[in-house]
Amino acid sequence: MPAVSKGDGMRGLAVFISDIRNCKSKEAEIKRINKELANIRSKFKGDKALDGYSKKKYVCKLLFIFLLGHDIDFGHMEAVNLLSSNKYTEKQIGYLFISVLVNSNSELIRLINNAIKNDLASRNPTFMCLALHCIANVGSREMGEAFAADIPRILVAGDSMDSVKQSAALCLLRLYKASPDLVPMGEWTARVVHLLNDQHMGVVTAAVSLITCLCKKNPDDFKTCISLAVSRLSRIVSSASTDLQDYTYYFVPAPWLSVKLLRLLQCYPPPEDAAVKGRLVECLETVLNKAQEPPKSKKVQHSNAKNAILFETISLIIHYDSEPNLLVRACNQLGQFLQHRETNLRYLALESMCTLASSEFSHEAVKTHIDTVINALKTERDVSVRQRAADLLYAMCDRSNAKQIVSEMLRYLETADYAIREEIVLKVAILAEKYAVDYSWYVDTILNLIRIAGDYVSEEVWYRVLQIVTNRDDVQGYAAKTVFEALQAPACHENMVKVGGYILGEFGNLIAGDPRSSPPVQFSLLHSKFHLCSVATRALLLSTYIKFINLFPETKATIQGVLRAGSQLRNADVELQQRAVEYLTLSSVASTDVLATVLEEMPPFPERESSILAKLKRKKGPGAGSALDDGRRDPSSHDINGGVEPTPSTVSTPSPSADLLGLRAAPPPAAPPAPLGAGNLLVDVFSDGPAAQPSLGPTPEEAFLSELEPPAPESPMALLADPAPAADPGPEDIGPPIPEADELLNKFVCRNNGVLFENQLLQIGVKSEFRQNLGRMYLFYGNKTSVQFQNFSPTVVHPGDLQTHILSTWSSPLAPARPLQAAPVSGFLDHERAQLAVQTKRVASQVDGGAQVQQVLNIECLRDFLTPPLLSVRFRYGGAPQSLTLKLPVTINKFFQPTEMAAQDFFQRWKQLSLPQQEAQKIFKANHPMDAEVTKAKLLGFGSALLDNVDPNPENFVGAGIIQTKALQVGCLLRLEPNAQAQMYRLTLRTSKEPVSRHLCELLAQQF
Amino acid sequence: MQFMLLFSRQGKLRLQKWYVPLSDKEKKKITRELVQTVLARKPKMCSFLEWRDLKIVYKRYASLYFCCAIEDQDNELITLEIIHRYVELLDKYFGSVCELDIIFNFEKAYFILDEFLLGGEVQETSKKNVLKAIEQADLLQEKTEAMYHNKSFIGSKKAY
């Protein structure tokens, strides 16, 4: 072995690194670095041509500085020069620099590609490898364009050296992952598969990775790899521990290759050929047998390598899910690991068992380990292991053990790490609902959840218990009794007050017969918590009180007294004040009959997917689905409760909470509420509520738990069952917008550009411009992952005033894009009431990892509108369908044309618009610091002109503009009066069209 | 594998290898977050953790932490042994490797890694073959350096 020349070729570099290490402070380090940078810069710029060695040294120094975390903005050219050096070491440093500091400077890329091209053609295997490493390290699209066609040739050429083949295989893999479209399939694919037979184990190791990736997209083309992989695997598995020489790792023959081969086989169903299948099953059995043999070495590397193969084998067995014998053996093996002294093995065994639990063959076998798993949940010292145990308990839960598992998880919750409490709460809530035999147990469990971990009980959880209690009359009395008792605790969580308040308000009458829970007792119990609660809870309690007046006329006087108290009627909070005022009036004006109608019990909620399940899926993100989905083929879980079916999307953006539970997500009312039989009073009182059906609870708080659609017929079967999973939905049925849709929309009311949406997978950016009644919007969809999105299809729909009213041209790949000019015209003619014509261009149905696609929307405002169009984005990510619905940031104010006018004109027009319905006014609290400049900018962004010297008070803002639509123009005047002392605003809008006034007022009021 | 990081107990990054395209800003953010998470873990804890939608596999050797991010379906144990094999390669090359070797010869650490892993996949698991490739390079280096020193010596004479 030659003496290793550890960098002695570059003394200057070693000195520099020592200097940096000797720096006492960050400042000293920066100073030293700046000095060095200046030195290098002057050397590079100097008149004297640098020799290769110096260039290499300086480039290496720059690289070191960059790797320390500093920015480097020069030296790229020198590094590129090194690439064409004949000296291996200079070339090598040049390539390293390029690999680490890629720069998409096109000029440079061309030079780099040129150098690579020369090296690839050099027939010098070391140079070729360097070039291939560089392509694999950079993996950019430009490099793919330049080399993707050449590399397959190098890979399968008969005269390529083994090391070159290895590099070529993985280089191609990287390019294929980055830009699959650039790698041409062809005659070489068959020859690549035969690399599985190569004599050189290293070549096989590299080639399997490539084949695994390629066959995922083209399974049929690579089908022959199955039998080759099986025979290769079988040869390795049956070989003695020393047969493979240097490819034996701590007495385990070729562990990396074995794992890769087992991974490759997981891309396919079990082999069809009986002989191949027999051979494979034999392999799998051998691996399971070997696990029982005494270890050949005490070293952890030996057991790790051996168990790596074992776990991959088990993955394959689970993937096939067809060999009951193997599944049970796998489960027993994992059972042994559950008590292994190695933490790593316990962790992996718990993780792997989670997937076994979902197989019908091994579900029972997994269940036998329940005590061990519960013990792990209690005693493991590492939180990540406990987390796995909790996951496994969740996965193995069924009707037979639900009570035990739920009670163990509840117990664990008391001491659980804060980081995972919310998830445990969700899981308990789901299991309790899914496996509830009697609903009193369910109610007890949820109330226990609130008691133990109230802070972690999200809205979804307590909404859900209310839905279930409302829908099941057999549990209502029990629920009322239990919450009543729970509320008697001296300190109870606010969520308990919410649940208690709601349930007693609905069903308090069921326990009123008992003198210990007579109406006055119920009321005073609730009211004793009132002052400790947040505004939202107090608002809910006020609704409970008005319901009490209906349920228990004897409490009317007391409650009216409470409502009448100054602390309510003059409450600083608008919502509370309004409720107090309205309820008080309602209770004194309305007759008992009217009251009984208005305050009737809530109708059953329509059934749909549990919002809790959706939330859990959202929390876990994609990838975790398999372990968490309840798609277990457990026939027993369907009979009574009809197990909750997994939804196709793990992101599940159109969460049921959006419409079922999201008050804030409810679209503003499109029309004034229909007058009720009860008379004019109600119109005034409830004009803010989103719905005014007599049977619904009257307050916004209750209305947000209700649905506008007719309630589902009540039957025990339908209660927890989900609607049948729809077949692949067409582009038309788009989901409801995500809960944040309104919030996101609000961000764009006063501006036109920005990021509309972002999650782990996708970012959507918006750029838009509007002129008169026309607008153009650019949507940028960025794939944040490294995986290609498939079937990517964004669609725009405008719900209009009818839900089915669709005006856009589809951009789905199913329908050809319509000619440009046709859409708005036909849209207008087809639908005379059309408000907006949105015309979209089709986008590519695939979005590569890290790539961005752009979509252009042409928008024409035909007449005034209130609801923004919906943007629905669907795609497949790693096989899982994703969908997402957002509100497109197109609001009526985008079509504002600012109008300048003198004070006199303004006041004259203001007076002309003096009918009550032409004016909309809102008084609201400032949500942001009250800065005049910011306010001005927002008003201008909103679209109106700002008129100076109109309002006598210089603090106030006055604006004017015209909303341009194709059908008509709407003149708008606005006035905003800030009150810095009270941190309040008063906003007044006057327009010639009543809904427009109100809508603009609402839009604008949310901006301050 | 999506990336590999080597960092010291003090949290200093010693080597970073990214197999997925990320901006420098993201890389720095990920590094900061992971270094913090891993350093906070106690010695007896398990070597795997879930992080974002990836799995982190890490192991400590003396003062250095080796930390790999793999995808959901990747094998944790074999990744642990990837780390070990890399340590063995460094050890064989430098002769009982220590953190200082990697600091002063960082480029060599990268070269060895490139021979072993390419594009995030294992390229060559034979210790002999990996080191042969690196030693060949070293031989070339010495040869060319010897040539270089001679030439420059003569060259400088001529120039004057």
Side-chain angles (χ1 to χ4, degrees), chain A residues 66-89:
Chain A
F66 177 79
L67 290 170
L68 276 181
H70 301 270
D71 291 333
I72 295 293
D73 54 5
F74 68 103
H76 299 81
M77 204 54 208
E78 284 72 14
V80 173
N81 285 342
L82 286 177
L83 296 185
S84 36
S85 165
N86 282 327
K87 299 196 184 84
Y88 181 78
T89 144

mmCIF file of all heavy atoms in Angstrom, chain A residues 66-89:
data_model
loop_
_atom_site.group_PDB
_atom_site.id
_atom_site.type_symbol
_atom_site.label_atom_id
_atom_site.label_comp_id
_atom_site.label_asym_id
_atom_site.label_seq_id
_atom_site.Cartn_x
_atom_site.Cartn_y
_atom_site.Cartn_z
ATOM 1 N N PHE A 66 -16.406 27.702 1.665
ATOM 2 C CA PHE A 66 -17.831 27.504 1.392
ATOM 3 C C PHE A 66 -18.432 26.469 2.346
ATOM 4 O O PHE A 66 -19.512 26.653 2.895
ATOM 5 C CB PHE A 66 -18.040 27.053 -0.062
ATOM 6 C CG PHE A 66 -19.475 26.759 -0.385
ATOM 7 C CD1 PHE A 66 -20.359 27.799 -0.644
ATOM 8 C CD2 PHE A 66 -19.959 25.461 -0.393
ATOM 9 C CE1 PHE A 66 -21.697 27.544 -0.927
ATOM 10 C CE2 PHE A 66 -21.291 25.194 -0.663
ATOM 11 C CZ PHE A 66 -22.153 26.237 -0.930
ATOM 12 N N LEU A 67 -17.700 25.399 2.550
ATOM 13 C CA LEU A 67 -18.224 24.336 3.406
ATOM 14 C C LEU A 67 -18.312 24.783 4.867
ATOM 15 O O LEU A 67 -19.060 24.224 5.658
ATOM 16 C CB LEU A 67 -17.367 23.079 3.292
ATOM 17 C CG LEU A 67 -17.488 22.361 1.941
ATOM 18 C CD1 LEU A 67 -16.450 21.277 1.795
ATOM 19 C CD2 LEU A 67 -18.883 21.795 1.757
ATOM 20 N N LEU A 68 -17.534 25.825 5.204
ATOM 21 C CA LEU A 68 -17.666 26.390 6.549
ATOM 22 C C LEU A 68 -18.989 27.148 6.688
ATOM 23 O O LEU A 68 -19.370 27.542 7.778
ATOM 24 C CB LEU A 68 -16.519 27.357 6.840
ATOM 25 C CG LEU A 68 -15.212 26.767 7.353
ATOM 26 C CD1 LEU A 68 -14.218 27.887 7.589
ATOM 27 C CD2 LEU A 68 -15.428 25.984 8.628
ATOM 28 N N GLY A 69 -19.614 27.426 5.582
ATOM 29 C CA GLY A 69 -20.909 28.107 5.635
ATOM 30 C C GLY A 69 -20.862 29.528 5.112
ATOM 31 O O GLY A 69 -21.786 30.301 5.318
ATOM 32 N N HIS A 70 -19.765 29.891 4.456
ATOM 33 C CA HIS A 70 -19.682 31.251 3.913
ATOM 34 C C HIS A 70 -20.029 31.242 2.430
ATOM 35 O O HIS A 70 -19.898 30.220 1.765
ATOM 36 C CB HIS A 70 -18.270 31.800 4.116
ATOM 37 C CG HIS A 70 -17.862 31.830 5.551
ATOM 38 N ND1 HIS A 70 -18.088 32.897 6.381
ATOM 39 C CD2 HIS A 70 -17.285 30.884 6.327
ATOM 40 C CE1 HIS A 70 -17.656 32.619 7.590
ATOM 41 N NE2 HIS A 70 -17.168 31.394 7.593
ATOM 42 N N ASP A 71 -20.446 32.390 1.942
ATOM 43 C CA ASP A 71 -20.805 32.466 0.531
ATOM 44 C C ASP A 71 -19.559 32.646 -0.317
ATOM 45 O O ASP A 71 -18.625 33.353 0.071
ATOM 46 C CB ASP A 71 -21.760 33.644 0.284
ATOM 47 C CG ASP A 71 -23.107 33.359 0.905
ATOM 48 O OD1 ASP A 71 -23.434 32.161 1.037
ATOM 49 O OD2 ASP A 71 -23.806 34.319 1.281
ATOM 50 N N ILE A 72 -19.581 32.006 -1.457
ATOM 51 C CA ILE A 72 -18.463 32.145 -2.397
ATOM 52 C C ILE A 72 -19.052 32.623 -3.707
ATOM 53 O O ILE A 72 -19.982 32.006 -4.229
ATOM 54 C CB ILE A 72 -17.790 30.775 -2.632
ATOM 55 C CG1 ILE A 72 -17.149 30.263 -1.365
ATOM 56 C CG2 ILE A 72 -16.770 30.868 -3.750
ATOM 57 C CD1 ILE A 72 -15.979 31.075 -0.902
ATOM 58 N N ASP A 73 -18.543 33.747 -4.209
ATOM 59 C CA ASP A 73 -19.128 34.229 -5.458
ATOM 60 C C ASP A 73 -18.114 34.310 -6.581
ATOM 61 O O ASP A 73 -18.347 34.942 -7.587
ATOM 62 C CB ASP A 73 -19.810 35.581 -5.238
ATOM 63 C CG ASP A 73 -18.873 36.580 -4.610
ATOM 64 O OD1 ASP A 73 -17.676 36.247 -4.437
ATOM 65 O OD2 ASP A 73 -19.321 37.699 -4.289
ATOM 66 N N PHE A 74 -16.990 33.684 -6.412
ATOM 67 C CA PHE A 74 -16.042 33.673 -7.526
ATOM 68 C C PHE A 74 -15.238 32.375 -7.454
ATOM 69 O O PHE A 74 -15.415 31.580 -6.533
ATOM 70 C CB PHE A 74 -15.104 34.889 -7.462
ATOM 71 C CG PHE A 74 -14.135 34.857 -6.304
ATOM 72 C CD1 PHE A 74 -12.800 34.513 -6.498
ATOM 73 C CD2 PHE A 74 -14.561 35.144 -5.020
ATOM 74 C CE1 PHE A 74 -11.917 34.488 -5.431
ATOM 75 C CE2 PHE A 74 -13.677 35.104 -3.954
ATOM 76 C CZ PHE A 74 -12.352 34.775 -4.159
ATOM 77 N N GLY A 75 -14.424 32.166 -8.464
ATOM 78 C CA GLY A 75 -13.600 30.964 -8.468
ATOM 79 C C GLY A 75 -14.178 29.864 -9.335
ATOM 80 O O GLY A 75 -13.504 28.875 -9.593
ATOM 81 N N HIS A 76 -15.425 30.067 -9.764
ATOM 82 C CA HIS A 76 -16.046 29.022 -10.584
ATOM 83 C C HIS A 76 -15.260 28.796 -11.870
ATOM 84 O O HIS A 76 -15.045 27.668 -12.301
ATOM 85 C CB HIS A 76 -17.488 29.404 -10.924
ATOM 86 C CG HIS A 76 -18.355 29.567 -9.715
ATOM 87 N ND1 HIS A 76 -18.367 30.717 -8.962
ATOM 88 C CD2 HIS A 76 -19.209 28.720 -9.108
ATOM 89 C CE1 HIS A 76 -19.211 30.567 -7.955
ATOM 90 N NE2 HIS A 76 -19.730 29.360 -8.019
ATOM 91 N N MET A 77 -14.818 29.896 -12.446
ATOM 92 C CA MET A 77 -14.110 29.803 -13.720
ATOM 93 C C MET A 77 -12.808 29.038 -13.548
ATOM 94 O O MET A 77 -12.465 28.177 -14.378
ATOM 95 C CB MET A 77 -13.831 31.233 -14.220
ATOM 96 C CG MET A 77 -13.653 31.339 -15.689
ATOM 97 S SD MET A 77 -15.071 30.621 -16.523
ATOM 98 C CE MET A 77 -14.255 30.134 -18.016
ATOM 99 N N GLU A 78 -12.109 29.324 -12.474
ATOM 100 C CA GLU A 78 -10.839 28.634 -12.225
ATOM 101 C C GLU A 78 -11.089 27.141 -12.023
ATOM 102 O O GLU A 78 -10.317 26.303 -12.485
ATOM 103 C CB GLU A 78 -10.137 29.233 -10.999
ATOM 104 C CG GLU A 78 -9.465 30.588 -11.248
ATOM 105 C CD GLU A 78 -10.460 31.736 -11.408
ATOM 106 O OE1 GLU A 78 -11.658 31.553 -11.072
ATOM 107 O OE2 GLU A 78 -10.055 32.811 -11.895
ATOM 108 N N ALA A 79 -12.195 26.843 -11.305
ATOM 109 C CA ALA A 79 -12.514 25.429 -11.088
ATOM 110 C C ALA A 79 -12.799 24.749 -12.425
ATOM 111 O O ALA A 79 -12.346 23.637 -12.673
ATOM 112 C CB ALA A 79 -13.723 25.305 -10.160
ATOM 113 N N VAL A 80 -13.523 25.458 -13.287
ATOM 114 C CA VAL A 80 -13.825 24.871 -14.589
ATOM 115 C C VAL A 80 -12.538 24.639 -15.378
ATOM 116 O O VAL A 80 -12.376 23.621 -16.044
ATOM 117 C CB VAL A 80 -14.800 25.773 -15.376
ATOM 118 C CG1 VAL A 80 -14.964 25.252 -16.787
ATOM 119 C CG2 VAL A 80 -16.132 25.827 -14.665
ATOM 120 N N ASN A 81 -11.578 25.568 -15.234
ATOM 121 C CA ASN A 81 -10.298 25.376 -15.915
ATOM 122 C C ASN A 81 -9.610 24.099 -15.451
ATOM 123 O O ASN A 81 -8.995 23.397 -16.239
ATOM 124 C CB ASN A 81 -9.366 26.561 -15.630
ATOM 125 C CG ASN A 81 -9.787 27.774 -16.436
ATOM 126 O OD1 ASN A 81 -10.520 27.616 -17.404
ATOM 127 N ND2 ASN A 81 -9.341 28.944 -16.022
ATOM 128 N N LEU A 82 -9.749 23.843 -14.138
ATOM 129 C CA LEU A 82 -9.093 22.645 -13.603
ATOM 130 C C LEU A 82 -9.645 21.375 -14.244
ATOM 131 O O LEU A 82 -8.939 20.383 -14.366
ATOM 132 C CB LEU A 82 -9.288 22.566 -12.081
ATOM 133 C CG LEU A 82 -8.460 23.530 -11.217
ATOM 134 C CD1 LEU A 82 -8.822 23.361 -9.759
ATOM 135 C CD2 LEU A 82 -6.970 23.287 -11.428
ATOM 136 N N LEU A 83 -10.907 21.425 -14.639
ATOM 137 C CA LEU A 83 -11.524 20.232 -15.223
ATOM 138 C C LEU A 83 -10.780 19.763 -16.454
ATOM 139 O O LEU A 83 -10.710 18.581 -16.735
ATOM 140 C CB LEU A 83 -12.985 20.511 -15.618
ATOM 141 C CG LEU A 83 -13.960 20.833 -14.514
ATOM 142 C CD1 LEU A 83 -15.360 20.955 -15.094
ATOM 143 C CD2 LEU A 83 -13.942 19.753 -13.457
ATOM 144 N N SER A 84 -10.233 20.696 -17.184
ATOM 145 C CA SER A 84 -9.579 20.268 -18.416
ATOM 146 C C SER A 84 -8.083 20.024 -18.210
ATOM 147 O O SER A 84 -7.358 19.809 -19.179
ATOM 148 C CB SER A 84 -9.829 21.286 -19.533
ATOM 149 O OG SER A 84 -9.833 22.567 -19.008
ATOM 150 N N SER A 85 -7.661 20.050 -16.954
ATOM 151 C CA SER A 85 -6.272 19.719 -16.680
ATOM 152 C C SER A 85 -6.037 18.247 -16.982
ATOM 153 O O SER A 85 -6.938 17.430 -16.884
ATOM 154 C CB SER A 85 -5.971 20.004 -15.211
ATOM 155 O OG SER A 85 -4.763 19.388 -14.847
ATOM 156 N N ASN A 86 -4.800 17.933 -17.339
ATOM 157 C CA ASN A 86 -4.485 16.525 -17.571
ATOM 158 C C ASN A 86 -4.121 15.835 -16.272
ATOM 159 O O ASN A 86 -4.011 14.628 -16.219
ATOM 160 C CB ASN A 86 -3.314 16.403 -18.532
ATOM 161 C CG ASN A 86 -3.779 16.625 -19.954
ATOM 162 O OD1 ASN A 86 -4.910 16.263 -20.278
ATOM 163 N ND2 ASN A 86 -2.932 17.223 -20.756
ATOM 164 N N LYS A 87 -3.854 16.623 -15.248
ATOM 165 C CA LYS A 87 -3.435 16.044 -13.965
ATOM 166 C C LYS A 87 -4.666 15.607 -13.195
ATOM 167 O O LYS A 87 -5.557 16.401 -12.909
ATOM 168 C CB LYS A 87 -2.641 17.084 -13.176
ATOM 169 C CG LYS A 87 -1.393 17.514 -13.898
ATOM 170 C CD LYS A 87 -0.449 18.221 -12.958
ATOM 171 C CE LYS A 87 0.771 18.749 -13.710
ATOM 172 N NZ LYS A 87 0.512 20.060 -14.334
ATOM 173 N N TYR A 88 -4.643 14.352 -12.858
ATOM 174 C CA TYR A 88 -5.805 13.768 -12.206
ATOM 175 C C TYR A 88 -6.216 14.571 -10.981
ATOM 176 O O TYR A 88 -7.382 14.904 -10.797
ATOM 177 C CB TYR A 88 -5.475 12.334 -11.781
ATOM 178 C CG TYR A 88 -6.626 11.642 -11.120
ATOM 179 C CD1 TYR A 88 -7.670 11.119 -11.874
ATOM 180 C CD2 TYR A 88 -6.682 11.531 -9.740
ATOM 181 C CE1 TYR A 88 -8.731 10.493 -11.282
ATOM 182 C CE2 TYR A 88 -7.754 10.914 -9.130
ATOM 183 C CZ TYR A 88 -8.777 10.394 -9.900
ATOM 184 O OH TYR A 88 -9.836 9.780 -9.310
ATOM 185 N N THR A 89 -5.263 14.920 -10.164
ATOM 186 C CA THR A 89 -5.580 15.544 -8.881
ATOM 187 C C THR A 89 -6.207 16.923 -9.065
ATOM 188 O O THR A 89 -7.057 17.342 -8.297
ATOM 189 C CB THR A 89 -4.327 15.583 -7.982
ATOM 190 O OG1 THR A 89 -4.333 16.773 -7.244
ATOM 191 C CG2 THR A 89 -3.068 15.521 -8.794
#
